[in-house]
Amino acid sequence: MDFDKEYFNLGFLDTLSYKDTVIHRLDPRTKVIATVALIITVVSFPKYEIAGLIPFFLFPAVIFSLGDIPVWFILKKVLIVSVFAVFIGIFNPLFDTHVRVVLFGIPVSGGWVSFFSILLKFFLTMCSALLLISTTSFPGICHALRKLRIPEIFISQLLFLYRYIFVLIEETLRMVRARDLRSFGKKGKGMGVFINLIGTLFMRTIERADRIYHAMLSRGFSGTIHYVKKDRLRKADFVCLSITGAVLTLFR
């Protein structure tokens, strides 16, 4: 079932974060700071820059290699969401018709140059974010943000959102399976049944949220989600940050 496959793929990024490689052993704060620095540096380039972005592909290439991350798995996810980047820049060639460069005798307008620049920036930033999750885990990232003095309420909301996305998907998966078992051919798969499923899922979500809220209160929840694993910055982390900072500055 396709729904089952997508559910598995959603949690596979966290599964990758349990590997034991040089990248995985770095402190989560190191990886968060390095990724944010990379994203800010990439986004800071002007809209007509393309050649200057090419050297930054070194960063995902190194992480793919040292972190033992499946390249095609990450690239598929980036390609799926790249539709948003296409919609953002696809109209640039219509409004910016001034010729910026001539390639092999073919004039290329500024709109096309800025469009490809948007695609490159999107690819680099999305790839960096997915690689951060696949080498750190989402809870590890949130723990790093807490150590970096990000407000606790923001961290808690992120963790709750991530945790209960899976709960909601599991509930949806049970409902879809029940519908499939009670359907034959195309019967039971019309729009009316789909609307009823959405309504039922909404009601079950409210009930589940109410039970979870009271269960947390009964266990003394005070607004802070504790992280059991203790991380500390080591020499390798400072070396990694120094190299990253130097290379980003050089490329920029």
Side-chain angles (χ1 to χ4, degrees):
M1 186 184 297
D2 292 338
F3 199 90
D4 294 26
K5 183 178 179 181
E6 293 304 319
Y7 173 68
F8 171 77
N9 288 336
L10 185 63
F12 188 59
L13 281 175
D14 258 353
T15 304
L16 292 174
S17 68
Y18 291 104
K19 291 187 175 184
D20 185 20
T21 67
V22 175
I23 302 297
H24 288 77
R25 288 193 293 269
L26 291 173
D27 189 278
R29 286 168 289 182
T30 300
K31 288 177 277 190
V32 168
I33 293 173
T35 302
V36 171
L38 172 62
I39 292 175
I40 292 175
T41 306
V42 168
V43 174
S44 70
F45 275 89
K47 65 178 181 178
Y48 295 122
E49 185 62 54
I50 291 181
L53 295 171
I54 302 301
F56 289 90
F57 282 88
L58 174 65
F59 285 90
V62 170
I63 298 176
F64 275 124
S65 177
L66 297 180
D68 191 25
I69 304 298
V71 178
W72 182 237
F73 177 78
I74 299 296
L75 292 184
K76 281 197 300 184
K77 292 194 172 297
V78 175
L79 289 175
I80 290 173
V81 296
S82 63
V83 177
F84 297 102
V86 173
F87 279 126
I88 291 173
I90 193 61
F91 296 106
N92 287 16
L94 300 179
F95 297 104
D96 188 356
T97 57
H98 178 69
V99 177
R100 298 286 303 184
V101 65
V102 178
L103 294 176
F104 306 106
I106 302 175
V108 181
S109 68
W112 283 110
V113 175
S114 62
F115 174 58
F116 286 114
S117 179
I118 289 174
L119 292 181
L120 288 177
K121 291 177 181 178
F122 180 84
F123 179 85
L124 287 169
T125 53
M126 281 301 303
C127 193
S128 300
L130 291 175
L131 286 173
L132 175 63
I133 298 175
S134 61
T135 57
T136 310
S137 80
F138 196 85
I141 294 173
C142 291
H143 176 63
L145 293 176
R146 179 185 289 116
K147 290 289 186 179
L148 294 172
R149 299 294 186 267
I150 301 298
E152 184 64 38
I153 188 170
F154 180 70
I155 306 298
S156 298
Q157 290 297 320
L158 282 178
L159 285 170
F160 282 134
L161 174 64
Y162 183 73
R163 171 65 182 90
Y164 291 106
I165 278 178
F166 291 95
V167 175
L168 181 62
I169 292 177
E170 288 174 358
E171 190 69 36
T172 305
L173 186 59
R174 284 194 292 268
M175 293 173 60
V176 170
R177 284 173 175 167
R179 184 205 62 179
D180 291 342
L181 291 173
R182 291 168 174 80
S183 303
F184 180 77
K186 295 184 179 180
K187 292 183 178 180
K189 296 184 179 181
M191 183 57 65
V193 176
F194 177 76
I195 293 174
N196 289 333
L197 285 176
I198 295 297
T200 303
L201 180 62
F202 178 71
M203 295 303 299
R204 289 187 180 183
T205 302
I206 295 176
E207 294 174 358
R208 176 69 67 87
D210 186 61
R211 292 198 303 271
I212 291 172
Y213 174 69
H214 287 94
M216 292 174 64
L217 290 181
S218 66
R219 288 165 173 79
F221 179 71
S222 60
T224 301
I225 300 177
H226 298 283
Y227 190 74
V228 177
K229 184 179 178 181
K230 302 296 182 181
D231 295 309
R232 61 185 181 86
L233 293 171
R234 297 172 297 178
K235 182 179 179 181
D237 297 295
F238 292 107
V239 172
C240 177
L241 287 176
S242 300
I243 294 176
T244 301
V247 174
L248 288 177
T249 303
L250 176 65
F251 286 172
R252 186 64 181 90

